[in-house]
Amino acid sequence: MPLSHDQITRFLKSVHPYDALPTDALDELAKSIEVWEVDADHPVYELGHAMPGVFVIYEGQIEITDENGVVVSHLGLRNSFGERGLLKDGKAATKARTHTPSVLIVLQPDLVRELIDAHDVVSKFFNRARAPRATQQSLATSRIDTLMARDPATCAPDTTVQQAAQLMRDRGISSICITEGDSLFGIATVRDLSGKIVADALPPSTPINQIMTREPVTLSPADIGSDVLHAMMERNIGHIPITEGGRLVGMVTQTDLTHYQAVNSAELVRRIARAENAAEMALVTAEIPQLLVQLVAGGNRHEVVTRLITDIADTATRRLLTLAVTKLGPPPVPYLWLACGSQGRQEQTGVSDQDNCLMLDDSVTDQDMAYFVELAKFVSDGLDACGYFYCPGDMMATNPRWCQPVRVWRDYFKGWIAKPNPEAQMLASVMFDLRPIGGSYELFTELQVETLANASANSIFVAHMISNSLKHTPPLGLLRGFATIRSGEHRNTLDLKHNGVVPVVDLARIYSLQGQLPEANTRARLSAAEAAGVVSASGARDLLDAYDLIAETRLEHQVKQVKSGNPPDNYMPPTSLSDFERSHLRDAFVVVKTMQSAVGHGKGMLG
């Protein structure tokens, strides 16, 4: 499909960083790029070959695989790829292949370099591609409170070395701190036991304080990883107690440093993609809370953090599908596994259940259905074992209602649009966030286009969806205060999910319906809605800023919980914020409320 200059310009206005370029620069850019039309299942570039440039997807879907042929990402509209290889050494570190017929905008290498030299916003964007902030926030520059093990093992000074050794053995650790109350007196390690007890033939009844290292080197949680590295190298030690105000609060060992360096999203994806069963995957997904801590500590934006965490869930799902087919044999007809909810929107945090469904080719027979019942159970059980717990509302492929041929799904959407009763509104809200994960993607493509067109054309349905979206409201009280939860176990807290991010998620879904926009991700929907003229530039920017602040606050709250040894949730006491933070969070909620009011009163988003 040949693209006009105006089409390219309008499109680039919806893609960062090109949306921030001056008008004349954007116009020149549109004249300088190439447009590739690539058939389905065709390579875009091969591993190790020279990179032809940076790609932006105008239409279609792209599959990225690593050197082992493992799928590391599925990309769609407005996603870009190729930056890393181009800017690193000019050679492809991955393989890109079209999943569907695709139209790609290509910025040749020289053009990319010219843009980097001429425009700071482009330079910053591609510098992140060259060395992502998560990588820049290396071990050496990470705060110790993201590295240390909490609740270190302790014993009293008169504890025998045998008792101390037994405690270390039982906990699988190599050091123990000697304390009285919260005060640290010394530290003893496995090396002390071998070098001072075994080597000198001292009795097991020897008090630990006779062999401990007195007044050991300590650091504080606010110090950084380089302080640990330098202290260990200078003094030839492998254990450093962490104290705060004289109180023992943690321990950092060489093992902790190694583990920290090993925990990154790519490594977790690699291990899951090679797992032989759900139990092996569960060992990997158990590291997601620590990954969340590191990604946030690394200064990554919330949409990057949630995308990387969602990629892990996607990989687990695809791996389970592969294992299911290995166990059950080839599927009798083409199928497509889709995710909805936060996974569908690529917005998973440290707290996620599973929401999914199966679309089957219309040639499926009643006899074939038994295969997909088994496949759905295998995958959903595996996801549950990995910590993606069963959906309380049973929005899963294991529910026969959500494991159906495409023709039944088409009838579902038509029925919800034609008769938008409360259940239809709820189901439509969930199912409009569908995103293909594994299988035959073409089963969904036509249905999605058709459904968006039908939904946007039905003003009554849109009105009902707007009404449904306003059920989740920001937690605003009187006199510039917050309306916290009044009773129950979460009393006096803010629900940063249902009253925080969900109102923005719902607004973005309404905009996508009105503009027939295929994006599922909330931030992508808001940007696309602005580019399509569904919402004004000022309204979109205000809402994006508000959403960013709310989502960042939610992630930071979850990180604090993980660092405190607690499971992450969405319930934050506003008293945990400073006055400055509370003021800005309330302003963000006001923006959301204002945009809800505009939609609720039918005042068009362009006003």
Side-chain angles (χ1 to χ4, degrees), residues 311-322:
D311 281 350
I312 296 170
D314 290 355
T315 304
T317 304
R318 285 191 287 267
R319 183 57 181 160
L320 287 166
L321 287 168
T322 298

Side-chain angles (χ1 to χ4, degrees), residues 482-552:
F482 292 115
T484 58
I485 297 172
R486 295 183 178 180
S487 60
E489 62 174 316
H490 303 301
R491 184 172 179 266
N492 295 328
T493 65
L494 302 175
D495 185 342
L496 292 176
K497 178 181 178 180
H498 292 102
N499 300 115
V501 297
V502 168
V504 186
V505 168
D506 289 343
L507 280 172
R509 187 183 300 113
I510 295 300
Y511 301 156
S512 71
L513 288 177
Q514 292 175 326
Q516 300 182 41
L517 306 172
E519 288 85 357
N521 176 265
T522 297
R523 216 176 185 286
R525 280 173 165 171
L526 293 175
S527 296
E530 177 189 1
V534 177
V535 61
S536 68
S538 61
R541 297 297 168 143
D542 284 348
L543 194 53
L544 279 168
D545 287 345
Y547 178 56
D548 288 344
L549 179 60
I550 296 166
E552 298 282 0

Side-chain angles (χ1 to χ4, degrees), residues 125-187:
F125 176 83
F126 283 112
N127 280 335
R128 287 199 299 271
R130 183 185 292 117
R133 292 178 71 184
T135 301
Q136 293 172 345
Q137 182 71 17
S138 65
L139 170 65
T141 57
S142 297
R143 279 174 54 107
I144 285 178
D145 61 4
T146 68
L147 306 172
M148 69 185 190
R150 298 172 188 277
D151 189 27
T154 62
C155 67
D158 59 355
T159 302
T160 67
V161 293
Q162 183 177 35
Q163 292 171 326
Q166 290 171 340
L167 180 58
M168 286 190 278
R169 178 202 63 192
D170 293 344
R171 291 188 55 170
I173 55 178
S174 56
S175 64
I176 191 166
C177 292
I178 294 83
T179 61
E180 280 190 347
D182 289 334
S183 299
L184 176 68
F185 279 86
I187 182 174

Side-chain angles (χ1 to χ4, degrees), residues 224-424:
I224 58 177
S226 59
D227 297 323
V228 176
L229 291 168
H230 295 166
M232 286 183 173
M233 294 302 102
E234 180 182 351
R235 295 170 173 81
N236 191 30
I237 56 178
H239 304 76
I240 297 183
I242 309 302
T243 60
E244 189 170 33
R247 182 172 59 89
L248 179 68
V249 294
M251 171 70 73
V252 176
T253 69
Q254 290 180 339
T255 301
D256 294 324
L257 303 184
T258 301
H259 180 71
Y260 183 90
Q261 290 177 304
V263 177
N264 60 70
S265 61
E267 173 63 13
L268 299 192
V269 164
R270 185 192 68 80
R271 288 162 58 193
I272 289 175
R274 289 158 178 74
E276 293 299 324
N277 51 56
E280 288 185 20
M281 292 184 209
L283 296 175
V284 183
T285 55
E287 298 182 40
I288 289 177
Q290 179 60 33
L291 174 65
L292 174 68
V293 171
Q294 291 177 208
L295 289 173
V296 174
N300 291 283
R301 289 176 57 88
H302 70 92
E303 69 269 22
V304 174
V305 175
T306 55
R307 171 63 182 268
L308 294 175
I309 290 177
T310 304
D311 281 350
I312 296 170
D314 290 355
T315 304
T317 304
R318 285 191 287 267
R319 183 57 181 160
L320 287 166
L321 287 168
T322 298
L323 293 174
V325 171
T326 300
K327 176 183 178 182
L328 302 174
V333 300
Y335 75 91
L336 178 62
W337 185 282
L338 302 100
C340 45
S342 59
Q343 185 183 0
R345 297 189 304 274
Q346 296 178 298
E347 293 167 4
Q348 287 189 314
T349 65
V351 190
S352 295
D353 57 8
Q354 54 176 294
D355 298 281
N356 47 59
C357 65
L358 271 169
M359 290 186 180
L360 312 175
D361 188 85
D362 283 339
S363 64
V364 68
T365 66
D366 289 343
Q367 290 74 23
D368 295 333
M369 292 302 295
Y371 177 95
F372 294 106
V373 168
E374 287 297 313
L375 181 138
K377 185 177 188 306
F378 184 95
V379 176
S380 289
D381 286 352
L383 289 172
D384 180 71
C386 291
Y388 304 103
F389 304 119
Y390 300 121
C391 173
D394 205 17
M395 302 288 292
M396 299 187 301
T398 50
N399 183 338
R401 188 178 185 185
W402 311 127
C403 179
Q404 292 291 338
V406 172
R407 64 177 181 274
V408 174
W409 280 99
R410 181 173 282 106
D411 289 340
Y412 283 165
F413 280 106
K414 285 182 177 178
W416 296 334
I417 293 169
K419 296 180 179 179
N421 57 42
E423 183 192 35

